[in-house]
Amino acid sequence: MCGIVAYIGPKDASPILLEGLQRLEYRGYDSAGVAVVAPVTKSAPAKLRLCKVKGRVADLAAALPARFKGGAGIGHTRWATHGVPSDANAHPHTDNEGRIAVVHNGIIENADELRAKLAADGAVFRSETDTEVLAHLVAAHRAEGGELEDAVRAALKLVVGTYGIAVLDAGQPDRIVVARNGSPIVLGIGEKEMFAASDVSALVRYTRQVVHLEDGELATVRADGFRTFTEDARTVTRQPSTVDWEVGSYDTGGYAHYLLKEIHEQPGAVERTLSGRLDERFATAHLGGLNLDARELREIRRVKILGCGSAYYAGEMGAQLIEELARIPAHSEPASEFRYRNPVIEADTLYVAVSQSGETYDTLAAVQEVKRKGGRVLGVVNTVGSAIARECDGGMYLHAGPEVSVASTKAFTSTVVAFALLALHFGRIHDLSPADGRRIVAGLKALPDQIRQVLEQQQEIEALAAEYAHSQGMMYIGRVRGYPVAREGAQKLKEISYVHAEAYPASELKHGPLALISPELPTVALVPDDELLDKNLTALGEIKAREGRVLAVAHRPIEAKHADHCLVVPKSEPELDPLLLNIPLQLLAYHAAVALGRDVDKPRNLAKSVTVE
Ligand code: AGP
């Protein structure tokens, strides 16, 4: 949610800032802006130049004056929280004199109070944002003398809320000051040049050497290096680490959209999630990062999974896997609701936080609530070193690779695979037999090729999507293992095509939603070849009897009296079937969105990482 990039060095900053913003645009895309310090000339001191517009980074690039030069600069791509998307509300924000510029991710909770005080002292506010108070606060402290970093520290002491910020000062053009509290900031180390960003994706083109700031830390970034320190001015030493994601991971790689690319990357993503973790000899999984020994794991009586949106639905599939394979009661709950019901935290419950980005504020806050009350939390996270990963006591990284499209696909699949590994590991120290363990190991190993087989049906799914996309709405139904698949399928269609979709357990149809069934409201039905097949077919018969159209996703062709169309996916082990049943639904949503002319990778009103409540 919002992206920050900063550069200082011998090159011209603006092309680097624009390139970085383009890579960060998936985080927010309603407005964008940059500020640079124009170089000192014989006749003029250094001064700030600012350009910001409502719209995309491409609109900013088009609006940028030809001679927008400067060796230090900051940029921002916004997803509105305070104030509508507009030129005025776009970042950077400046003080009255236009000498201090600030870009900010997060929320300043006491902005109204600070704004009133600053206005009384003469600050002129030009936007409706909470961020603008930071520019005025820093300027007020700079006016008292001292260095930029001292003014930023003093300003942040007055602020309540979350932030990742970068601050530029025309009076000290040799530095940029950045700070982090609840919103990530990462420094990039170059050759006589330095970068900073909210996300490594903006940096990988220029450097692999990065330093992640911790909450409560600041850094002064100069062309020749950086210094990290706390809000109390205590110097802290941070060692650089090397980013292993390729720059190509952030390109569409010849696909029409990131979403399509990421759907097609799933076989490789699953291979990486499984890599080095399957133990065929003992028919189990090795999970090095759990930080729990077998005795501690055996003492766990319950598993509670916390995540938002698709991460929550992946958690529902995870809970099902844990209950089936380990026979431990498991439940997935929206992390966004969890802390507001004053949850009972039990010592023998294992809490598992799920997040692709590792930044989702609601999930992070849920983890903190569990830890505050003495609970133990594992993370199932894609982004290495992210806030949630660091807050957890242990966990598993997905290694799915960067996911850029707002709608989650490969991270979703890898999350469910990670839960299958966890369930297998748990199961084998409880009652799961070696034979069943071997069955699951073989099922997991077969998944990448089976996903490839499903992806080969793309053309057929594209044709079906064109037929169904113009429906008034869609119903998604499934039973037991199929129900979370239905929920995720409906979510994918909603978020990228804006076609209303509802998911129900097929068994619930007669208790209400059957009233909706008509030729205008088709049903996508998950019909796995399992013990509920006959019951699922009965539900489809009821829909057809009411002139409802049915698209079945099944393990064998479904007769015309039960379905108008059928997509057949390969059979896995029953516990793993949901993984494969979900893949056609991703392609269906993608092609429906394309058929309707939607902005597939950047759907309206949504952002990739939701770092606010
Ligand atoms: C997924 O398609 C959605 N964009 C959204 O529900 C997402 O899964 C959710 O916001 C959680 O994100 P996270 O995995 O980064 O925590």
Side-chain angles (χ1 to χ4, degrees), residues 527-545:
V527 197
D529 215 348
D530 63 10
E531 58 282 9
L532 290 167
L533 178 63
D534 290 342
K535 292 189 187 299
N536 272 319
L537 292 177
T538 304
L540 298 194
E542 286 165 1
I543 294 171
K544 293 292 296 165

Side-chain angles (χ1 to χ4, degrees), residues 105-128:
N105 289 352
I107 289 194
I108 308 299
E109 286 164 21
N110 59 342
D112 290 346
E113 188 192 316
L114 292 169
R115 181 182 268 259
K117 280 192 200 145
L118 287 159
D121 291 341
V124 178
F125 283 87
R126 303 181 193 94
S127 78
E128 303 159 284

